[in-house]
Amino acid sequence: RCAAAAAVLGVPVVARLSRVCRRHFGACPSPPPPSQSHCRLGLWMPAYSALVSGGAVRPPRATCLLLASFAAGSGLWLLVGSQKEEQPDVASPRTQRSARSAAQLAKWFRWQAVLASEAAAHTASPGKGSLALWGDSITESWRGTSYGTPAGRANGTPAVLAQTLARRWPSPAVLAISGDQTQHLLWRLGDGGELPPPLASDGALTAVVMIGTNNLGAGHLPGPTAEGVLAVAREYLRRSRGRLLLCALLPRGDGAELLPRLCPPRCDRRGAPFRSFMPAVEKVNQRLREEAGGGRLSV
């Protein structure tokens, strides 16, 4: 799994170099934390010497540590390139498959850690309950940010939140990351720590989830996208005692730009690109409405 070595030395040597890494420094968890990023390395001569010697030469630990920051960026970027395609209903953090660059991938992990910390620290207002909003860029706009950085397109949006929902639920938790798809939110609710026990056990918690449009934009078909949205809903209801409002997908206006890139496989019966996302949006929303059966779930 030494992805950087794959780029320089070629794929056949990666398994051997990985064994050398593990022999000298121990196995890395998946994914390795920055302190063990040496298992992704192998670009410099000490590591190469360890490779060609079959592990007889121990690469200095300092060399691996000096390369840790590189591994966290471009090394990680190469590593995740070998991962399988993400599935809408299978929990996954953001990977190369769904990030535009190594820099964006690093931003995603940093911002997600911030959201997990906020979720852990969130407390309900006495007598008023809690409100948590999970989603993608549409929801993150309530914060006026994108990946935690102020975004001009969201100017004025936090003031709207303060004048509306925040009057009923003071200090709502806005837990959203621009560009996220259903599988990412599914991961965030579980391994990502955004639904910690204190929040999950709050019977007065109202959650609002809007997710799924980026699955369509990435080329996922309506059926799998709807199943991904429902997987998020089921995971929330399984883990928490609160109610859930599951929002329908909104129309998209970028079909003329994106849909030609998605054909094939997303083509009409003539083999041409679709002209609008609306048929797919309507299919997803119809599937979500079929699940609206009362109880703690509303659509």
Side-chain angles (χ1 to χ4, degrees), residues 182-194:
T182 56
Q183 64 272 23
H184 307 139
L185 181 51
L186 195 58
W187 183 88
R188 287 162 47 200
L189 291 175
D191 292 343
E194 291 184 33

Side-chain angles (χ1 to χ4, degrees), residues 160-217:
V160 175
L161 178 64
Q163 296 164 8
T164 54
L165 297 176
R167 291 185 175 180
R168 168 63 178 82
W169 294 278
S171 301
V174 180
L175 306 169
I177 307 180
S178 297
D180 261 10
Q181 301 173 30
T182 56
Q183 64 272 23
H184 307 139
L185 181 51
L186 195 58
W187 183 88
R188 287 162 47 200
L189 291 175
D191 292 343
E194 291 184 33
L195 188 55
L199 196 60
S201 62
D202 182 2
L205 173 65
T206 298
V208 179
V209 168
M210 179 180 285
I211 198 72
T213 187
N214 291 315
N215 291 82
L216 296 180

